[in-house]
Amino acid sequence: AAGTVFQLVTALLGMDADALARRLTFDTPVLPPWLRFVELHGLRVGPAVVDVVIDKTFLAPVVYKA
């Protein structure tokens, strides 16, 4: 049951992690109308730990590589 929330967030954000490449990608994130932003803290991608904010108010995607 605890994994269900993670799967839902992963699906909504189109999130995919590649630990070997140390890359976290988001393919066309979709947030419900009532949710303006999502913050994820302490995500482990290979040896890296990242914090992510997805916010509807930004018009252009920003890509960071750990």
Side-chain angles (χ1 to χ4, degrees):
T4 304
V5 173
F6 182 74
Q7 288 177 333
L8 176 62
V9 171
T10 300
L12 285 173
L13 300 181
M15 188 169 64
D16 184 48
D18 183 345
L20 294 177
R22 296 176 57 189
R23 183 177 303 151
L24 184 62
T25 57
F26 298 88
D27 183 20
T28 318
V30 176
L31 298 179
W34 49 267
L35 187 61
R36 188 177 66 85
F37 68 93
V38 171
E39 291 186 27
L40 305 171
H41 298 277
L43 292 176
R44 294 194 181 275
V45 183
V49 178
V50 297
D51 296 331
V52 175
V53 176
I54 303 291
D55 191 323
K56 284 187 199 181
T57 60
F58 290 106
L59 298 177
V62 178
V63 177
Y64 296 99
K65 187 172 181 184

